[in-house]
Amino acid sequence: MKHMSFAAAIAAMLVLSILTAGRVSAHAELDRSNPEAGSTVNGSPNQVEIWFTEEIAEGSTIAVVDASGKSATTAEAKLDLFDPDRKHLTVELVPNLPDGTYTVDWTSISAEDGDTESDSFTFTVEGSGTPVASPVASPEASPTATSTPPATKVSGSLQNTDPPKAQKADIDERALAIALSTGVIAALLIYGFWRLVRPKRHPFDRNPR
């Protein structure tokens, strides 16, 4: 009986140790991130992504702050529902972050037993793209300004050539009207003169001459 009691006690201790080990391991630790911990990125990233070692639950958080402690996120962290393992957590960042070092504080909630885990890491932003936009925009504006004068010259040349054509048409129509009027008047004068000077015949004179 003593041997059976001793064996039962050992078995109970083994079961308890296994259960305790299982509870200790049920924490969602940081597996990897984007940007990576301690890395330097060129330009402002759009978001911070973290992959954990096990499935996480809703309520897990990511907070990103700059060197002065100002928040650099635009919304709360979101669990990636398209990830079948439910290990992917993301948070959107403010656009065009200035150069500097940013601290990422995360808290995970295990989907297995609800245990939480927290930690932090940093990344550095260099070569922000905000100043680059100004030089790119100015060369595009100058060709547009220089292309305007040729269009004006072309328009002016068309305006200068159109009036002579219209004036020529007016002159031709006027000359034609004058010629027709002169011809009609001349025909009337000739007819009137002929009526005056033609020989008159006596009404009783039936013999032709």
Side-chain angles (χ1 to χ4, degrees):
M1 295 293 294
K2 291 183 179 180
H3 293 288
M4 292 180 63
S5 299
F6 183 72
I10 293 176
M13 291 177 63
L14 288 174
V15 171
L16 181 62
S17 62
I18 292 173
L19 292 176
T20 304
R23 291 191 62 187
V24 171
S25 63
H27 287 79
E29 303 285 349
L30 174 67
D31 181 23
R32 58 190 175 92
S33 66
N34 182 31
E36 296 181 358
S39 66
T40 298
V41 295
N42 185 18
S44 175
N46 296 326
Q47 61 182 355
V48 170
E49 303 175 272
I50 297 179
W51 288 264
F52 294 93
T53 56
E54 64 181 54
E55 183 179 352
I56 57 175
E58 293 286 352
S60 301
T61 63
I62 300 176
V64 184
V65 295
D66 60 14
S68 64
K70 182 180 178 181
S71 176
T73 60
T74 60
E76 296 181 356
K78 295 180 181 180
L79 180 62
D80 184 4
L81 300 179
F82 293 99
D83 178 19
D85 298 326
R86 297 292 194 273
K87 298 179 179 180
H88 187 205
L89 191 65
T90 64
V91 66
E92 297 296 324
L93 297 178
V94 175
N96 301 322
L97 290 175
D99 294 353
T101 300
Y102 294 84
T103 302
V104 180
D105 297 309
W106 58 265
T107 299
S108 65
I109 302 176
S110 173
E112 295 182 10
D113 56 11
D115 285 349
T116 61
E117 183 72 15
S118 299
D119 205 347
S120 63
F121 64 89
T122 62
F123 68 90
T124 303
V125 174
E126 287 185 357
S128 177
T130 307
V132 181
S134 177
V136 173
S138 55
E140 294 178 356
S142 56
T144 305
T146 56
S147 62
T148 304
T152 304
K153 292 180 180 179
V154 172
S155 176
S157 62
L158 293 176
Q159 292 177 357
N160 292 333
T161 55
D162 288 342
K165 292 181 180 179
Q167 184 176 2
K168 182 178 180 180
D170 293 339
I171 293 174
D172 293 340
E173 293 177 359
R174 190 182 307 167
L176 180 61
I178 293 173
L180 290 175
S181 300
T182 304
V184 171
I185 294 173
L188 291 175
L189 291 176
I190 294 172
Y191 178 75
F193 180 77
W194 176 77
R195 293 279 295 180
L196 291 174
V197 299
R198 73 172 182 169
K200 295 182 179 181
R201 300 170 66 182
H202 195 276
F204 299 101
D205 187 5
R206 295 183 179 178
N207 296 323
R209 294 180 181 181

